[in-house]
Amino acid sequence: MSDPTVLVAADAGVATLTINRPSALNALNSTVLVELDRAVSALAADPSLRAVVVTGAGGKAFVAGADIVEMSAYGPQAARRFASLGHRVLAALEALPVPVIAAVNGFCLGGGCELALSCDLIYASDTARFGQPEVNLGLMPGFGGTQRLARRVGAARAAELIYTARQVKADEAVRIGLVLDVFPLADLLGRVHEMAAGIAAKGPAAVRASKLAIARGLDAPLAVGNALEIETFANLFDTADAREGMQAFVEKRPAHFRNA
Ligand code: CAA
């Protein structure tokens, strides 16, 4: 049997998804997308999940794009199916109820950049290179790049990156707001896992409610987003964890959250 193309590891509520096709710089073919879909569906159903880390195997690439060899045999129908599959899987990853963090450890191009953009937070190694190089192939982004990159870095910067296909180093990626922070390659995964463990120690319902309010609010007029915040804020007062968190503050002791 061939190796799984998506590795799943879990530790204390933090799941790590590793795209595992290092011989093709982790390029996303249909098999990877189907395995990623399966992994994300399983995580979505796990009430003990607190955070997810996404990274790439092999030390050279996060993901170097959609699989060009597979796409080279496509006509429009197959391309529509492939783009629809990619969109569905990345939307499911984005919609996970907990924070999803990309640990970008090398090339992050095309569909790889689109995968990172489906994550709430993106951190990168000093070796990372970002870009949407599809026009080099006579193509355009097909897994959400025209939409999510424009929302993350602004329409003009996204347009420039897509029209020119130029690669962006990690420090520029921070400057344009694509990446939050850069770490030496050897430290990246450890730093991201530290961050994920920190999030996992907070009130689980509070973190999930925060993600929901941010995500839904971004697609809504401000007044609607603000009304959603009032509702989600108020609902947390029904949880034992909010009582514990506030009581612990008053009693000057650490809070012990039980996801209740
Ligand atoms: N699809 C398929 N195979 C890929 C790939 C991809 N996107 N990217 C790299 N590979 C393969 C290479 O073909 C090579 O395989 P072989 O050893 O069998 O020849 C292997 O990975 C190693 O790659 P290179 O030898 O090219 O490594 P390099 O260090 O010289 O270059 C690179 C690295 C600059 C990332 C280069 O591989 C590259 O330009 N890759 C393609 C990047 C790209 O165009 N991505 C966008 C794809 S289109 C897309 O993603 C559409 C969409 O939005 C849905």
Side-chain angles (χ1 to χ4, degrees):
M1 237 173 74
S2 51
D3 287 343
T5 63
V6 177
L7 306 175
V8 185
D11 181 23
V14 177
T16 302
L17 299 176
T18 304
I19 310 299
N20 183 40
R21 275 189 86 205
S23 62
L25 302 187
N26 303 321
L28 302 174
N29 61 12
S30 300
T31 303
V32 179
L33 290 172
V34 167
E35 290 187 18
L36 184 58
D37 193 30
R38 210 172 291 140
V40 169
S41 297
L43 294 180
D46 178 358
S48 72
L49 187 69
R50 300 284 181 271
V52 176
V53 174
V54 181
T55 194
K60 183 171 171 185
F62 174 72
V63 166
D67 191 298
I68 300 167
V69 178
E70 181 174 321
M71 287 191 300
S72 66
Y74 284 173
Q77 290 281 42
R80 187 172 293 112
R81 274 197 303 274
F82 187 57
S84 300
L85 172 64
H87 267 273
R88 186 164 59 72
V89 176
L90 298 195
L93 179 69
E94 185 176 49
L96 280 173
V98 300
V100 180
I101 311 176
V104 175
N105 53 334
F107 288 111
C108 181
L109 303 173
C113 192
E114 292 164 311
L115 173 63
L117 286 163
S118 300
C119 300
D120 297 273
L121 313 175
I122 306 176
Y123 295 93
S125 65
D126 48 6
T127 59
R129 295 285 182 279
F130 294 82
Q132 296 286 166
E134 290 87 350
V135 295
N136 286 335
L137 305 165
L139 298 175
M140 62 176 281
F143 293 170
T146 59
Q147 305 306 305
R148 291 193 181 92
L149 186 61
R151 283 163 171 76
R152 188 82 60 133
V153 303
R157 182 62 72 191
E160 183 237 348
L161 294 176
I162 292 168
Y163 299 160
T164 64
R166 80 177 171 89
Q167 286 187 17
V168 169
K169 291 184 180 170
D171 55 349
E172 184 183 354
V174 171
R175 222 167 45 242
I176 66 176
L178 178 56
V179 161
L180 291 172
D181 251 316
V182 181
F183 303 111
L185 178 61
D187 299 345
L188 172 71
L189 214 50
R191 295 296 295 267
V192 168
H193 276 125
E194 258 173 41
M195 209 134 18
I199 292 169
K202 310 299 180 199
V207 173
R208 287 180 178 230
S210 301
K211 173 162 178 172
L212 186 85
I214 293 167
R216 293 244 178 103
L218 279 177
D219 286 336
L222 182 61
V224 174
N226 281 340
L228 174 67
E229 185 185 272
I230 292 169
E231 269 319 294
T232 44
F233 176 79
N235 288 340
L236 288 174
F237 285 73
D238 241 355
T239 66
D241 279 346
R243 276 192 296 282
E244 161 64 9
M246 291 184 282
Q247 194 62 32
F249 175 83
V250 171
E251 293 170 6
K252 300 188 187 305
R253 61 170 175 81
H256 299 291
F257 295 116
R258 294 180 297 111
N259 196 20

